Amino acid sequence: MMRMMWIAMLAGTAAVCPAAVQAEDVLPANVTFVTSSGFWEDSGDPSAVLDPRGKAPSAAPPASAAQKGYYKLIALRQQDGTAHIVLQQIALDPAGPKIVSSAELDEFSKMKAFVTDIRPETSDGVTQQPGLFATVYLRTDPAATDVETWTVLIDELGDIRIERESN
């Protein structure tokens, strides 16, 4: 009896699940860590919409369209095992999330870091202040046993700071 209930439950679940998703359709194999956290918003003034590095975007939204969204940090594994970290601004668009900007965080690339984890400040999904606080765990020597911790901070104005965490 229990087995029949289990099979019925699985059959019902399969009926509501979309077609099988291929792994390569979701993320490339070199994406090792992704975290979404924080939030941002702008006034709708195209001159105020900046990417994380302070450059004007190539296609600014209309002046009447105020935007808001969240940040995403992505670790991309390179052939030598080191990682590049990309910061994205994701807009909450009525049609679904939309990438507003992407920028590689050169500070990590220059370190030739082996990233072991990326974590947001909180995992409850609620952020009280605009901006981002995330911790990147890495090694600059693959044989090292100790992991270094670095923070990526974005304040309410969009200014980015990358700092080694200190106790």
Side-chain angles (χ1 to χ4, degrees):
M1 177 73 168
M2 187 67 152
R3 183 172 183 211
M4 300 222 12
M5 287 174 46
W6 178 250
I7 291 171
M9 186 173 72
L10 285 175
T13 303
V16 295
C17 289
V21 175
Q22 300 297 315
E24 59 273 2
D25 293 337
V26 178
L27 289 173
N30 70 329
V31 174
T32 55
F33 299 98
V34 177
T35 188
S36 297
S37 187
F39 79 91
W40 60 269
E41 56 188 337
D42 70 38
S43 64
D45 176 8
S47 64
V49 179
L50 301 176
D51 79 10
R53 292 294 181 200
K55 299 174 189 151
S58 56
S64 62
Q67 287 187 307
K68 61 182 176 179
Y70 57 93
Y71 296 100
K72 191 186 300 185
L73 278 176
I74 306 162
L76 302 168
R77 183 182 170 104
Q78 304 303 299
Q79 286 185 335
D80 64 358
T82 63
H84 291 212
I85 296 181
V86 174
L87 173 66
Q88 291 185 328
Q89 271 185 292
I90 310 297
L92 297 172
D93 190 86
K98 180 177 74 173
I99 297 171
V100 174
S101 68
S102 292
E104 182 176 336
L105 300 180
D106 292 329
E107 295 82 349
F108 292 108
S109 300
K110 289 176 185 174
M111 281 188 240
K112 301 278 187 196
F114 297 85
V115 175
T116 61
D117 200 0
I118 299 177
R119 295 190 187 172
E121 177 179 22
T122 178
S123 292
D124 65 9
V126 178
T127 305
Q128 301 301 317
Q129 299 278 335
L132 168 79
F133 181 97
T135 304
V136 177
Y137 298 83
L138 60 86
R139 290 185 177 96
T140 52
D141 175 1
T145 56
D146 292 335
V147 175
E148 297 176 22
T149 53
W150 289 74
T151 55
V152 177
L153 303 159
I154 303 176
D155 65 19
E156 66 278 0
L157 301 175
D159 293 333
I160 301 172
R161 288 192 331 250
I162 297 171
E163 304 172 339
R164 185 163 187 178
E165 202 169 73
S166 61
N167 293 339

